[in-house]
Amino acid sequence: MSRRLLPVLLAATLLGGCGVPVDDEPRVVQAPPGSLPTPAGTATADPAGRMVEPLCFVRDDGLAAVTRRVDGLPGVDEHLQHLLAGPDGTERDRGLATALPGTVAVAGATLTGTVATVDVRQAGEETGRNDEVLAFGQIVCTLTQRPDVDSVAFRRDGQPLEVPRADGNLSSLPLTAADYRPLLHR
């Protein structure tokens, strides 16, 4: 039995010496050339300390995710305000637009746990917009790319609001980017 145990003990001893050295302080690790981009749902800092702020705008008849560099990831409500401001000049030149003005009147957003709740006011009837699916999709796809948000709920006057998903069905439950996946441009 001791002959069988000797190779196991030797292997355990050798493997125990392998590992990652421990540093006294954190150090910057650069991604290797050709590595994959950061997946959605994560915020990252670039070497200058700036963060990636994900936003979702409209291109043609679908949704397109973009990122902006900011000094720090803003709170949920401020992030939503950046989305409501629409695409900047460079983004507009790339064919991006927004379905939000005149479609969804946003009063603000709060975060409880990992659910962002967006308060919506009644939009004016004179807007003539009928792309609510894209507008709600922009909000959900933007906020769920944050590392602290898993889903987005909507309410009006303190009550859950039914909003359209990509398939046209209404839901008052918290939504995720998966509810709008058919509209996302690759």
Side-chain angles (χ1 to χ4, degrees), residues 48-52 68-74:
R50 293 177 58 91
M51 303 289 292
V52 173
R68 292 181 183 166
R69 297 286 180 188
V70 294
D71 290 330
L73 190 61

Side-chain angles (χ1 to χ4, degrees), residues 104-130:
V104 177
V106 175
T110 57
L111 184 63
T112 305
T114 59
V115 178
T117 301
V118 177
D119 288 301
V120 177
R121 295 184 306 261
Q122 182 69 38
E125 298 300 321
E126 71 284 351
T127 63
R129 300 290 301 251
N130 63 356

Side-chain angles (χ1 to χ4, degrees), residues 132-134 162-171 179-180 182-183:
E132 281 187 330
V133 172
L134 290 173
E162 288 187 325
V163 300
R165 300 181 328 185
D167 62 8
N169 289 322
L170 297 176
S171 176
D179 291 297
Y180 298 94
L183 298 175

Side-chain angles (χ1 to χ4, degrees), residues 43 67 71 77 92 94-95 110 135-137 139 144 150 152-153 180:
T67 57
D71 290 330
D77 189 58
R92 283 191 305 274
R94 292 183 12 224
T110 57
F136 284 109
I139 295 169
T144 58
D150 289 334
V152 179
Y180 298 94

Side-chain angles (χ1 to χ4, degrees), residues 122-186:
Q122 182 69 38
E125 298 300 321
E126 71 284 351
T127 63
R129 300 290 301 251
N130 63 356
D131 44 8
E132 281 187 330
V133 172
L134 290 173
F136 284 109
Q138 279 186 256
I139 295 169
V140 172
C141 292
T142 292
L143 294 181
T144 58
Q145 287 186 76
R146 296 175 56 90
D148 54 351
V149 176
D150 289 334
S151 60
V152 179
F154 294 89
R155 66 183 175 201
R156 180 180 291 143
D157 299 326
Q159 298 300 311
L161 178 66
E162 288 187 325
V163 300
R165 300 181 328 185
D167 62 8
N169 289 322
L170 297 176
S171 176
S172 61
L173 299 174
L175 302 169
T176 68
D179 291 297
Y180 298 94
R181 187 167 287 129
L183 298 175
L184 290 171
H185 287 288
R186 302 279 174 214

Side-chain angles (χ1 to χ4, degrees), residues 13-20:
T13 303
L14 290 174
L15 288 175
C18 296
V20 178

